[in-house]
Amino acid sequence: MTLKLTPLVKGSGPTVLLQRPIYLVGRHPECDLRLEIPKISRRHCCFALAYDRLMIRDLGSRNGVRVNGRDVTETQLFRGDEVAIGPLIFRVEQDVEPGTATPKSPPGRERPAAPEVELVPLDDV
């Protein structure tokens, strides 16, 4: 199962395929996803793939990590979750190869739909 992060606003950030067990995000040159934005810490957060689970962990960043509008230190991510890394917002999606059907989640593993919320740019907060 290959997951990807797709920016909610086209052009605001790259689409990221999460194919490695650990994926480091930040401004530092050693990061897998390097985001040259002042509100992104040098080592902002990391994604971990293990046993068909995707986890995100804040690495002590100044501006934090939010999942579906809530500040988190560490949490499991599901398809459809919205992840804010500094001012950038991504949606977790499954990467589907052309000509293949999207597999369904096993019963009990689906996350209920998040309530509709109004997104406010971080500069206005």
Side-chain angles (χ1 to χ4, degrees):
M1 171 173 68
T2 302
L3 295 172
K4 65 181 178 178
L5 300 175
T6 304
L8 284 185
V9 177
K10 284 192 175 192
S12 65
T15 296
V16 181
L17 288 177
L18 298 170
Q19 297 176 316
R20 293 188 233 162
I22 302 291
Y23 206 85
L24 185 61
V25 179
R27 288 184 291 119
H28 195 276
E30 294 176 357
C31 291
D32 300 302
L33 174 57
R34 196 162 170 216
L35 300 169
E36 290 293 331
I37 299 171
K39 291 189 176 189
I40 303 285
S41 296
R42 285 186 294 269
R43 289 180 182 88
H44 198 95
C45 65
C46 70
F47 293 91
L49 285 167
Y51 306 107
D52 288 333
R53 290 184 180 179
L54 175 62
M55 304 292 293
I56 187 169
R57 176 182 287 173
D58 186 345
L59 299 175
S61 65
R62 170 165 274 195
N63 292 301
V65 173
R66 291 182 321 282
V67 175
N68 298 324
R70 295 179 186 222
D71 291 327
V72 297
T73 302
E74 180 176 318
T75 192
Q76 183 176 353
L77 297 173
F78 297 89
R79 284 182 298 186
D81 282 348
E82 292 181 1
V83 178
I85 302 169
L88 301 179
I89 302 174
F90 297 89
R91 177 166 291 139
V92 178
E93 297 178 344
Q94 186 162 355
D95 187 39
V96 179
E97 295 178 19
T100 60
T102 303
K104 295 184 179 181
S105 298
R109 297 265 317 195
E110 298 155 343
R111 177 172 264 190
E116 294 281 330
V117 295
E118 180 181 344
L119 299 176
V120 178
L122 292 178
D123 296 331
D124 295 342
V125 177

